[in-house]
Amino acid sequence: MSTESFDVIIVGGGMGGLNLAALLTKAGKRVLVLEKSGREGLGGRAASGRTHDSAIDNGIKGLILAGSQDEIFRRIGKEMPENVCRWTNSGKVFMGGAWKDIDGLVRGSLAEFAKVYMTTAKDWTYEQIEELDDVSIEQFVQERTNDENVIDFFRYLGWLFGGTLPIPTDYSAGMLFYSVKKQLDTLGEFPSKSYWVKGGSGAIAGPLVESIEENGGEIRTGTSVSRIVVEKGRVVGVEVDTGRPRVPTEFVDAEILEAPVVVSAVAIWDIFNILNEDDLSPWYADRLRHLHRKTLNDATVTYGHSDPSLWDHTGPRWVQQGPHTGRPWCASSLEYSDDTSKYEATFWIQTGWWEKPDIFRIKEASHKAALRKLFDDWDREIEEFFPGIVSKAEWKLRSFGPATLIETPGNVGRNLIDIRAEGVDGLYLIGERTSAAKVMGVYGSAQVAIAAASMILGE
Ligand SMILES: Cc1cc2nc3c(=O)[nH]c(=O)nc-3n(C[C@H](O)[C@H](O)[C@H](O)COP(=O)(O)OP(=O)(O)OC[C@H]3O[C@@H](n4cnc5c(N)ncnc54)[C@H](O)[C@@H]3O)c2cc1C
């Protein structure tokens, strides 16, 4: 066994790992990032692929603008890639058998809407908003108004923030208002526009990788960490496999890479692949175990076309209950991020860890069959709502994977784990999702990276 040593080893080259590595290398730390996929996989779940001469994303359709990713780029002196989103979030929602303008939902109820939505986001402190973490948005709005339009608007927000949760109104009001307030504070306006990246969402990883390498950091791709090594309550490094098994059951030899600080930037649902839960304090391990597979799994289908008339490009569409799938789903469309004569329309449905198809059991035939049926029923449904999108598509891409952990009361805020792993000195967990994340998705990863950098640098 050989050994090498670093100031900090980061396991995982997704947005969380890259953001943190960029901040730490900029501050002069000797950092090693280990990523199991190839270089094209840097960016993790936010990485983009290519098809028909254009970028396609791993399901991501609009980053939540919360200021934290911008803050990291500012600190490392890099430019954010261009935002190619032209429309605002004011799309249409199919509720009660008819399409309704989202803006129109509250047009006749502005005073009541302002009282419930704007006042909370503008006038409440972050601490007061945190008190709403374990309150669902349905409960929040029902306690404050009888106005059906405002209640419907909050149900739409449940879809927007909770994705297409089967029970969207279960979304945490604290999480919702934290995000809205954060965008208001950093952008100076209420959220109305998402951030769609020129070159695909994976283009955000490029300047981070550049910065890490310019500042002396090292990124090893194609390197899978098999274990985080802990001795006497202190992290000492990681073990990486050296070579591939030559027979199916070979136990391959490992190399130890040493560091006094190790950061796991793998998703929480992968954590027990590399960390022995007996090393953690029992409370922390229980919490992690409770959360680690409470995933929302995104089924996504994207169609490529070159006929702009197949879609009106004015914003997203939200369908409360599809006639064949029986599920809520969302849709959005965009000019291709690097070819404005072509278009993509992406549709997504969230399934939960409690039902079929389950991403962690997808190798089982019954789960594969459930996923196939979902996609096939959905195709019929999409064609009925948007004639031509399916039948005239030049290409189609289907995907299924964990998007995030559920953000319902009891599973957010103080119920989440701290970044600092209790019971193991020098170990930090920044994978989705820790209490410092607050906002969802890529911006949540950025927010956690900022918090972890400040702990590690002892600021
Ligand atoms: C379909 C879909 C749609 C989404 N839509 C949006 C959206 O619209 N807006 C938004 O902001 N966010 C969205 N997200 C969420 C967003 O992609 C994630 O929140 C974010 O990318 C998480 O980054 P991360 O670094 O925490 O985790 P990851 O990206 O999962 O990174 C973890 C990395 O660790 C690596 N790894 C795992 N195990 C090992 C190991 N043993 N050794 C070495 N490396 C390892 C993995 O290969 C991966 O690269 C979506 C996600 C999906 C899947």
Side-chain angles (χ1 to χ4, degrees), residues 90-132:
S90 52
K92 289 190 174 63
V93 52
F94 193 82
M95 271 178 161
W99 285 107
K100 298 178 185 174
D101 277 347
I102 289 163
D103 291 351
L105 283 181
V106 289
R107 212 167 281 140
S109 308
L110 281 180
E112 209 49 15
F113 175 66
K115 185 186 88 186
V116 185
Y117 178 76
M118 296 181 174
T119 308
T120 313
K122 267 203 324 222
D123 300 346
W124 287 34
T125 63
Y126 285 107
E127 289 70 30
Q128 285 173 308
I129 285 175
E130 207 172 302
E131 296 304 315
L132 297 176

Side-chain angles (χ1 to χ4, degrees), residues 324-345:
H324 303 301
T325 59
R327 287 178 167 273
W329 46 265
C330 311
S332 62
S333 156
L334 182 71
E335 288 173 357
Y336 273 28
S337 47
D338 39 19
D339 180 351
T340 52
S341 66
K342 293 183 175 179
Y343 306 89
E344 282 178 12

Side-chain angles (χ1 to χ4, degrees), residues 191-213:
S192 61
K193 203 168 179 181
S194 286
Y195 178 47
W196 292 26
V197 181
K198 179 162 191 175
S201 62
I204 285 205
L208 296 170
V209 169
E210 219 174 76
S211 175
I212 293 163
E213 293 180 337

Side-chain angles (χ1 to χ4, degrees), residues 323-370:
H324 303 301
T325 59
R327 287 178 167 273
W329 46 265
C330 311
S332 62
S333 156
L334 182 71
E335 288 173 357
Y336 273 28
S337 47
D338 39 19
D339 180 351
T340 52
S341 66
K342 293 183 175 179
Y343 306 89
E344 282 178 12
T346 295
F347 299 76
W348 66 100
I349 285 181
Q350 278 178 351
T351 67
W353 81 91
W354 62 89
E355 60 180 340
K356 277 185 185 173
D358 175 0
I359 188 66
F360 299 110
R361 298 178 64 191
I362 202 66
K363 289 190 175 144
E364 293 173 21
S366 68
H367 286 261
K368 277 188 230 164

